[in-house]
Amino acid sequence: MRTDLIESGSAPTRVVDEQARRTGEHIRALRRSRGQTLVQLAERTGLSHPFLSQLERGHSRASMVSLEKIALALGTSQVELLAAGDPQHREPDDRSPDVLRAAEGARGPFSLGEARLLVHGGPHAFEPLEFTGTNTEPGEYYEHLEDEFLYVLSGSLLLDLGGTGVQQLAPGDSAYYRGGTPHRWCSADGERFQLVVVKQSPLGREASA
């Protein structure tokens, strides 16, 4: 399906499907938790105000390119936005354990690599990701309000935490940095590396404030 037609066509009046509705609601809640208006989000993403309005109401579906722009503007990742529309989405009052199998979990691009969300979609106190990359350039800094924890499973990593300098991490090493800390990473030797990244949930942070 051509996403450019979805994003630029006449404004629909009905919800595309449940996945689009849940994803749109999550984007709206996340935007509001950041204190951003739709106009501000449009300016930061380069996407139109009408399209973003339709997206938040579930009346449109975004392409991966648009999701990347929205994720960067909101200090999150595409995979976390995709997870909000997970068919196994959990309701806020669901207190049952969440078991995720190896072949499950929302997947998508993240920070020059690929990430898999390690929980099913739904409100969580934190968001654990499995990240795999081979990039030798760190790319742009990520910065968000939530604390984050990183653990190296395999490979050698260069972790750049802005003004605090660059640390080389090996398997078994970890790092914890507070919200607002610029961060980015890349392979130290050009080989594949794998991480577990656990970020405090934006909506969970707001609820506990």
Side-chain angles (χ1 to χ4, degrees), residues 30-192:
L30 187 56
R31 171 179 62 78
R32 289 175 174 173
S33 78
R34 300 304 196 206
Q36 292 186 30
T37 66
L38 267 176
V39 172
Q40 290 172 326
L41 184 59
E43 291 174 348
R44 294 175 182 179
T45 59
L47 301 172
S48 73
H49 178 283
F51 166 66
L52 290 171
S53 177
Q54 294 294 322
L55 179 65
E56 288 191 354
R57 288 182 286 169
H59 294 173
S60 292
R61 191 192 304 280
S63 67
M64 288 301 291
V65 173
S66 295
L67 281 180
E68 180 181 20
K69 294 177 179 178
I70 294 169
L72 286 173
L74 296 177
T76 186
S77 67
Q78 292 154 293
V79 69
E80 291 171 10
L81 295 182
L82 288 171
D86 190 338
Q88 298 188 53
H89 181 85
R90 297 162 62 86
E91 296 303 321
D93 59 352
D94 186 350
R95 308 285 294 181
S96 63
D98 182 12
V99 176
L100 189 85
R101 302 298 180 182
E104 299 176 338
R107 300 172 185 266
F110 176 52
S111 185
L112 302 180
E114 181 176 284
R116 177 173 74 104
L117 191 65
L118 298 178
V119 289
H120 288 108
H124 298 285
F126 51 86
E127 299 166 341
L129 295 171
E130 177 187 75
F131 177 87
T132 304
T134 57
N135 56 296
T136 55
E137 296 295 329
E140 297 183 5
Y141 283 108
Y142 275 74
E143 186 173 343
H144 42 71
L145 298 175
E146 297 76 35
D147 291 5
E148 187 166 275
F149 171 81
L150 178 152
Y151 179 82
V152 183
L153 293 172
S154 64
S156 181
L157 181 77
L158 292 179
L159 175 64
D160 182 351
L161 295 176
T164 64
V166 178
Q167 301 285 337
Q168 183 164 343
L169 304 181
D173 291 345
S174 63
Y176 182 97
Y177 34 95
R178 298 292 185 180
T181 303
H183 55 281
R184 58 184 182 176
W185 54 67
C186 66
S187 170
D189 55 12
E191 298 297 322
R192 177 178 179 271

Side-chain angles (χ1 to χ4, degrees), residues 8-22:
S8 62
S10 59
T13 57
R14 294 187 301 176
V15 171
V16 175
D17 54 31
E18 280 301 297
Q19 183 178 21
R21 181 187 64 78
R22 287 193 295 266

